[in-house]
């Protein structure tokens, strides 16, 4: 076991880095663990932006923001969490990201961030750095984290499991003790070894699980590792049926989907079918392309089903008439041009893709989970802000707010925390004669998980399909768990073990909930 730190942060996106910086500023010793390089996170893939509130003269307010979040959330938001986000988020965005970290948001003529519009927002309140906002934020956060004397950064380590007592205690009589999280077991793919990282408090900020779906805007590292570890440690997990699909991912057959930011529609891009008709008139005549994501994604899905086409199209010409596309949306333009598509001359083929997990490890307003010693923030957590469907550009903000609040609460608890007695916790035990892992088997299993969730637990669901999916993955889960116990560990095997568990959590939740709401839509 390693020497203990005050706070172990697992994950280095906006939630993890914000938590680490806040705790370190408050004097705590922090170890920040990244699965890849520090800056290679889902945060850095976020294009659109982060909510910063429009100027008061434009009539924006935290009440209006809260009502937009609740409107998108389809009646399932936790009111106090929404209020907290709407009140604290824009302030932190300004004071922490812009003023302290100098994130290069696009500025207006008065030298302050110039917000843009996004779907389902009633005001222009999205701070952005062209269309690479997440990357700009991540770069600033990573730099600050690396410079902080109280933070030790560990890169390219994979989460194996949380360390809990009594589960990992050597003394069987400890079974009567209450559960407590003491850190995590981490696998180093370079050495093949597992180390125990002990901590007085542990924060999960491991991100989402978009890679469980065949088509996703997420990086391949989004395999639900933190959610799975929390579930195995018996934390409360909620709302797993609410997986959000982003309406507009670039469609190129045989290629991974690339996000085409919501801000395009916010600024006037129109959805059309092959005949050039604006089909949103039939699905959301009042809001059209600015309807919440679940509505737009379903409309696209239904339009594709009715026409038999493989995609619909995003027409950027209304924007091109007003804006310099290359100047405002360089990431989008580069992605299109890389595929030989020119948004100045043609509408761009798009399809929905899995984008964001609205459920997660249940946390309170201070990021505490149901397990003492464990906090969670960001996509892995369920704060209640998103309800059944997330409003655009709330995810980075939620990671920031709960990263901060979780760190503050964890530091407050440190004074009352005793370290586990030496020798109380068991060391990691390897199998005596591990089987080699076969990459072909792992690829095959991933293919089955990803196509099963896409086809049977996707944008439109039925009970019969969910039952079928559950049965198909049941046997696979059993095989993977057996393999995990007998094989030599690898990052690929750990991710697969997380993926199959999270897939089953989604399927069970979707099957148990017969009510269509937000992004869980059952046609039966
Ligand atoms: C986007 O740019 O459309 C993604 C922003 C988000 O998911 O909030």
């Amino acid at each position: 076991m390693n020497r203990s730190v005050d706070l172990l942060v697992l994950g280095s996106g906006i939630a993890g880095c914000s938590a680490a910086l806040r705790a370190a500023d408050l004097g705590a010793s922090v170890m920040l663990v990244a699965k890849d390089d520090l800056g290679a996170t889902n945060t850095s893939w976020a294009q659109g932006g982060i909510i910063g509130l429009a100027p008061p003269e434009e009539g924006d307010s935290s009440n209006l923001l809260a009502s937009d979040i609740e409107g998108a959330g389809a009646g399932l938001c936790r009111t106090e969490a929404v209020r907290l986000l709407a009140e604290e988020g824009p302030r932190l965005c300004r004071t922490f990201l812009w003023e302290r970290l100098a994130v290069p948001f696009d500025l207006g003529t008065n030298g302050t961030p110039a917000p843009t519009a996004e779907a389902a927002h009633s005001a222009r309140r999205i701070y952005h750095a062209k269309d690479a906002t997440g990357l700009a934020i991540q770069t600033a956060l990573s730099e600050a984290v690396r410079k902080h004397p109280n933070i030790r950064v560990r890169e390219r380590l994979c989460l194996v499991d949380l360390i809990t007592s009594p589960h990992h205690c050597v003394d069987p009589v400890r079974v009567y003790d209450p559960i407590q999280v003491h850190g995590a077991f981490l696998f180093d793919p370079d050495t093949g070894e597992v180390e125990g990282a002990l901590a007085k408090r542990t924060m999960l900020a491991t991100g989402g699980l978009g890679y469980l779906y065949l088509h996703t805007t997420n990086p391949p590292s989004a395999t639900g590792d933190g959610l799975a570890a929390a579930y195995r440690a018996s934390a409360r997990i909620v709302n797993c049926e609410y997986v959000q699909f982003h309406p507009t991912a670039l469609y190129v057959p045989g290629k991974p989907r690339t996000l085409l930011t919501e801000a395009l529609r916010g600024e006037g891009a129109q959805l059309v079918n092959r005949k050039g008709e604006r089909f949103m008139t039939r699905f959301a005549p009042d809001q059209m392309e600015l309807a919440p994501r679940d509505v737009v994604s379903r409309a696209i899905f239904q339009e594709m089903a009715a026409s038999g086409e493989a995609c619909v199209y995003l027409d950027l010409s209304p924007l091109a008439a007003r804006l310099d596309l290359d100047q405002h949306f360089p990431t989008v333009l580069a992605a299109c041009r890389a595929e030989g598509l020119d948004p100045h001359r043609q509408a761009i083929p798009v399809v929905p893709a899995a984008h964001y997990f609205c459920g997660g490890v249940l946390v309170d307003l201070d990021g505490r989970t149901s397990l003492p010693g464990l906090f969670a923030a960001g996509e892995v957590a369920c704060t209640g802000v998103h309800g059944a469907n997330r409003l655009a550009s709330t995810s980075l903000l939620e990671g920031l707010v709960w990263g901060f609040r979780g760190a503050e609460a964890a530091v407050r608890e440190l004074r009352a925390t005793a370290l586990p007695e030496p020798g109380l916790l068991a060391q990691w035990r390897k199998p005596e004669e591990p089987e080699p892992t076969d990459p072909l088997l792992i690829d095959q299993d991933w293919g089955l998980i990803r196509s099963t969730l896409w086809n049977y637990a996707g944008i439109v669901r039925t009970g019969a399909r969910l039952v079928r999916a559950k049965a198909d993955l049941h046997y696979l889960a059993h095989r993977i768990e057996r393999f995990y116990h007998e094989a030599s560990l690898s990052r690929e095997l750990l991710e697969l073990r997380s993926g199959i568990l999270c897939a089953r959590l989604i399927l069970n939740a979707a099957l148990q909930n017969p009510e269509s709401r937000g992004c869980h839509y059952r046609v039966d």
Side-chain angles (χ1 to χ4, degrees), residues 45-49 118 131 244 246 248 259-265 293 355-356 390-396:
W45 284 39
Q47 293 180 0
E118 279 187 1
D131 60 355
Q244 181 175 69
H246 196 288
T248 57
L259 177 67
L260 298 186
T261 176
E262 186 93 27
L264 293 163
R265 279 175 293 122
R293 284 184 181 165
H355 183 60
Y356 190 86
R390 181 173 68 83
L391 180 68
S393 283
T394 48
S395 54
L396 295 177

Side-chain angles (χ1 to χ4, degrees), residues 59 77 106:
C77 298
D106 287 10

